[in-house]
Amino acid sequence: EFNKTDQYVGELLKYDLDSKKLIKAPEWNDYSIQRSYGTNIVPQFCKTYYQKTGHKVVCVLAGNGGEQIANFLPSTDEDYGEKTKQNKQMIYEAMVEKYKVAIKHLESNGYTVKNKIWVSFQGEADANRGTPISDYKRRFLKIHNGLKKDLNITKGVIIETSTLLEKENYNSVININNAQIQLAAENNDIILGSSYA
């Protein structure tokens, strides 16, 4: 918890449209930055990375579950997915704000932040919606390049989308997985990781 500033970094946060800041949310709702439920992979990765390299890892969790890639775009983007909602989720803006607060806190406490990597565990929602490969890739690159510009991100990591073979949307999952493979193959600052490992 970084409560030495006037902004909170914790679980119950939402992006306020008027102040353009993260504010403490009174309760969970559609516009909160959601808690990550199934991710023991994150602390395990941080521990393993530190053991192998000696470099400390700080993880900022800022995810929303069950969202299509279009909802992670800046809310002003033409491809933003929640056009019909009166109160947009502002996931991108909330992520950027949360990362900036964490980075500022670290730097003000004498830490040098060298590599800034964002990790995406996203894709099933687009598989369920049948998002075309070209649309997925274009939207993902908009987010990736936006984070590079706004936060000086050095690399992006996609944890590949997967599902059980007997699921009815298996072909759509293969399409999204192919889009993710292509993104990593075509961009030297995007890495493909496996959830199977």
Side-chain angles (χ1 to χ4, degrees):
E1 298 254 23
F2 303 106
N3 54 12
K4 293 182 180 179
T5 67
D6 61 352
Q7 298 177 51
Y8 293 86
V9 179
E11 297 297 347
L12 294 177
L13 299 172
K14 70 176 185 177
Y15 190 82
D16 183 61
L17 290 169
D18 296 324
S19 67
K20 304 280 192 258
K21 290 184 177 180
L22 284 175
I23 61 171
K24 195 163 177 111
E27 60 186 26
W28 285 104
N29 59 53
D30 288 344
Y31 313 110
S32 301
I33 295 181
Q34 296 174 13
R35 185 180 289 136
S36 181
Y37 286 106
T39 54
N40 63 350
I41 190 172
V42 174
Q44 185 59 49
F45 167 81
C46 295
K47 177 182 173 186
T48 303
Y49 187 83
Y50 177 69
Q51 288 172 339
K52 299 284 185 189
T53 67
H55 296 289
K56 294 179 180 172
V57 178
V58 175
C59 179
V60 179
L61 294 174
N64 273 43
E67 298 288 344
Q68 61 180 318
I69 196 73
N71 292 347
F72 287 92
L73 288 164
S75 62
T76 55
D77 190 276
E78 63 187 349
D79 281 343
Y80 181 73
E82 296 292 338
K83 294 181 185 356
T84 59
K85 281 195 176 178
Q86 194 172 21
N87 297 316
K88 295 180 177 181
Q89 290 193 64
M90 312 287 279
I91 297 171
Y92 181 88
E93 291 84 351
M95 284 191 309
V96 167
E97 188 68 24
K98 192 170 184 183
Y99 292 155
K100 282 182 178 178
V101 171
I103 291 164
K104 181 180 175 183
H105 174 77
L106 289 166
E107 290 175 343
S108 68
N109 283 282
Y111 290 96
T112 301
V113 181
K114 293 184 180 177
N115 294 307
K116 299 173 189 166
I117 301 169
W118 78 286
V119 181
S120 171
F121 289 83
Q122 190 281 335
E124 281 80 2
D126 283 286
N128 289 335
R129 287 174 176 80
T131 303
I133 290 174
S134 59
D135 288 352
Y136 186 88
K137 287 172 60 177
R138 183 171 44 81
R139 292 169 183 162
F140 188 94
L141 282 174
K142 283 184 182 184
I143 297 162
H144 178 67
N145 291 328
L147 291 172
K148 283 169 51 177
K149 179 179 66 76
D150 293 337
L151 296 169
N152 297 316
I153 292 294
T154 50
K155 291 214 183 279
V157 178
I158 305 170
I159 304 301
E160 66 182 340
T161 295
S162 60
T163 193
L164 299 175
L165 289 172
E166 65 270 13
K167 293 270 182 141
E168 60 189 45
N169 65 341
Y170 182 69
N171 286 334
S172 294
V173 171
I174 293 299
N175 284 340
I176 296 303
N177 188 250
N178 284 335
Q180 294 169 335
I181 291 168
Q182 290 171 25
L183 281 162
E186 296 164 1
N187 299 276
N188 62 5
D189 58 356
I190 297 176
I191 299 165
L192 183 66
S194 175
S195 56
Y196 298 112

